[in-house]
Amino acid sequence: MTFPLTHKSAAASSLNPAPSAIKSRIESIDVLRGLIMVIMALDHTRDFFHAQAYDDPLNLDTTTPVLFVTRWITHFCAPTFAFLSGTSIYLQGLRKSRSELSLFLLKRGLWLIVAEVLLIAPADTFTLFNPITLVVFWSLGISMVFMAGLTWLPFRAILGLGLAIVLGHNLLDAVEQAPGFTSGFGWALVHGGSHRVFDYAPGRVIVVLYPFLPWLGLMMLGYCLGRLFEPTVAAWKRQQWLVYLGAGAIGLFVGLRWLNGYGDPFPLSVQKDGLTTLFSFLKVHKYPPSLLYMCITVGPGLLGLALLENVHNRVTGVLRTYGRTAFFYYTIHFYVLHTLRMLVFFAAGHTMMEADKSLQTIPMRFVLPGDGGYNLGVVYLIWIAVVASLYPLCRWYDAYKTTHKEQWWLSYL
């Protein structure tokens, strides 16, 4: 894969593009990021409020079409966000020297890891340090720490390493599926499957949900995509390449899934009917994200970038606001959802003792399986209400960031 540009280092800030050019290039990225932020909240709302929240919504034996689709569409969120984070890193490199970019990525990456432990994990449990869960912010943060060093490499080296990780990391599945294999903590951080639980002190655990290696590969490829968003690239050429790359990723998914031999640890299987077989075709592994998972999520995301560049209306304006305040929105929405669930929990007659007991088996307080949760229709209404209620706050914060650019700490939020 070779982009239609001569080789330049992303950290070479000699381009100094006009602010208007940069703004026009990143608007579609912000809109897509905002869209996935909105969709992401649906999955978290389902976690807190659905009556069968802790049944696997992708279990082909028990799911329903609506439940399957509700969960499956949220698969687009994490990989697209990690990919776009890489693109944003490249664009920052157009305005920063290489050393400035590297130092920024190191500090921001470490901050995101701290934020995972001190802000996001407590939002799930309303407790501190038990459990410590390593999820999205952790994977983005540690990937940025690595990117702090990788951005010193030539562009082609970053592209080659990113492709090698994304295309080849499922070779490690054979190691993990070997008889007698046991994942240690280090392996779990890099590639081990989801929900690996490790004791780090008496009565305290750390849970690894997002092994970082595949997410780092995605971020590296997103970084390389940033070359298409340089001001010197014509819009039609960029959109053409986005369509080619997006269609290529989807085509790779279809081909590998049809061959049914590589790219996902769980093979396609014929089910009781055609619809369920289709669901088996689409059911791909997220923890860690398999090659097929990344292809079928990032591929449509690339097509979305091509489409959104030419769409400007009130809806995209709203989505852009969510996208420009992603860290702020992501953090706040967790606390809003859990607080609402706490109110419902106590209103239903449950006690704090029950909440403490539930935390021993469920990684979220104030949620009990089968305790009177709601159907999917109500879940969707709660989701819409929460997302809409956060818009004024996000709009205020976006305006604050725009008018206070001299405050350095805002670049980390």
Side-chain angles (χ1 to χ4, degrees):
M1 180 172 64
T2 304
F3 293 152
L5 295 170
T6 58
H7 173 69
K8 296 179 183 178
S9 168
S13 56
S14 58
L15 286 174
N16 291 326
S20 59
I22 288 292
K23 182 178 180 181
S24 66
R25 294 305 190 267
I26 67 173
E27 182 170 330
S28 59
I29 296 175
D30 284 333
V31 172
L32 182 58
R33 185 183 287 118
L35 177 61
I36 63 178
M37 285 290 100
V38 169
I39 296 174
M40 168 271 304
L42 172 60
D43 193 48
H44 297 155
T45 306
R46 181 188 59 80
D47 281 340
F48 280 110
F49 291 98
H50 189 220
Q52 288 83 42
Y54 286 91
D55 295 336
D56 180 6
L58 300 182
N59 185 332
L60 300 180
D61 295 325
T62 59
T63 192
T64 65
V66 176
L67 179 58
F68 184 95
V69 172
T70 297
R71 170 56 176 151
W72 191 83
I73 61 173
T74 64
H75 274 344
F76 290 87
C77 301
T80 307
F81 193 91
F83 191 83
L84 293 180
S85 295
T87 306
S88 296
I89 291 171
Y90 185 95
L91 295 175
Q92 288 185 60
L94 300 179
R95 304 186 298 270
K96 299 177 185 290
S97 69
R98 197 182 322 217
S99 59
E100 288 172 338
L101 178 64
S102 180
L103 182 59
F104 172 78
L105 291 174
L106 176 62
K107 292 189 294 185
R108 180 167 174 79
L110 293 175
W111 157 241
L112 286 176
I113 296 171
V114 171
E116 181 77 78
V117 175
L118 298 182
L119 293 178
I120 302 303
D124 270 346
T125 64
F126 283 174
T127 61
L128 194 61
F129 302 130
N130 194 35
I132 295 175
T133 52
L134 300 182
V135 199
V136 177
F137 280 11
W138 139 259
S139 65
L140 292 174
I142 191 63
S143 295
M144 286 184 182
V145 170
F146 277 96
M147 288 296 294
L150 290 168
T151 52
W152 289 87
L153 296 178
F155 178 90
R156 290 185 180 182
I158 298 173
L159 177 60
L161 285 172
L163 285 172
I165 292 172
V166 169
L167 294 175
H169 81 89
N170 278 119
L171 293 172
L172 298 175
D173 295 342
V175 176
E176 296 169 354
Q177 294 170 356
F181 173 80
T182 301
S183 172
F185 182 64
W187 184 275
L189 291 179
V190 175
H191 194 265
S194 66
H195 296 82
R196 299 292 174 93
V197 181
F198 301 89
D199 295 324
Y200 72 91
R204 294 180 177 271
V205 299
I206 182 169
V207 184
V208 182
L209 278 79
Y210 275 52
F212 77 85
L213 181 63
W215 301 107
L216 172 60
L218 268 184
M219 187 175 288
M220 293 169 71
L221 294 186
Y223 173 91
C224 294
L225 186 81
R227 175 160 289 190
L228 292 180
F229 288 84
E230 288 189 359
T232 54
V233 179
W236 69 269
K237 177 63 72 174
R238 175 174 51 259
Q239 293 166 32
Q240 184 182 70
W241 272 91
L242 289 172
V243 171
Y244 289 159
L245 294 171
I250 296 172
L252 181 60
F253 165 80
V254 173
L256 287 177
R257 196 56 164 163
W258 190 264
L259 292 173
N260 210 23
Y262 178 76
D264 197 272
F266 300 106
L268 162 69
S269 59
V270 177
Q271 300 294 314
K272 58 187 177 182
D273 54 50
L275 181 61
T276 312
T277 300
L278 174 62
F279 287 165
S280 177
F281 189 85
L282 295 173
K283 182 182 177 181
V284 282
H285 198 243
K286 180 179 180 180
Y287 306 102
S290 67
L291 168 60
L292 295 186
Y293 175 93
M294 291 187 278
C295 285
I296 197 56
T297 53
V298 175
L302 292 169
L303 298 180
L305 276 179
L307 174 65
L308 289 170
E309 189 164 347
N310 296 321
V311 179
H312 307 280
N313 53 41
R314 294 182 65 180
V315 174
T316 59
V318 170
L319 293 175
R320 184 181 61 216
T321 298
Y322 288 125
R324 285 171 55 87
T325 58
F327 179 98
F328 179 81
Y329 166 91
Y330 186 92
T331 304
I332 296 297
H333 97 284
F334 260 121
Y335 283 94
V336 171
L337 286 171
H338 203 170
T339 299
L340 288 175
R341 190 64 184 90
M342 179 182 67
L343 296 176
V344 171
F345 182 90
F346 287 128
H350 296 295
T351 65
M352 194 64 193
M353 184 179 296
E354 291 177 282
D356 291 337
K357 184 178 180 180
S358 72
L359 194 57
Q360 298 174 14
T361 56
I362 302 172
M364 277 191 278
R365 186 170 252 159
F366 307 117
V367 179
L368 295 174
D371 70 336
Y374 302 109
N375 61 42
L376 279 177
V378 176
V379 168
Y380 270 80
L381 291 176
I382 296 172
W383 164 59
I384 294 170
V386 168
V387 171
S389 68
L390 291 179
Y391 178 70
L393 198 57
C394 291
R395 187 176 179 180
W396 165 82
Y397 182 64
D398 186 28
Y400 183 84
K401 287 178 62 177
T402 302
T403 56
H404 294 76
K405 292 182 178 180
E406 73 283 357
Q407 299 188 18
W408 61 269
W409 55 271
L410 288 172
S411 63
Y412 291 87
L413 301 180

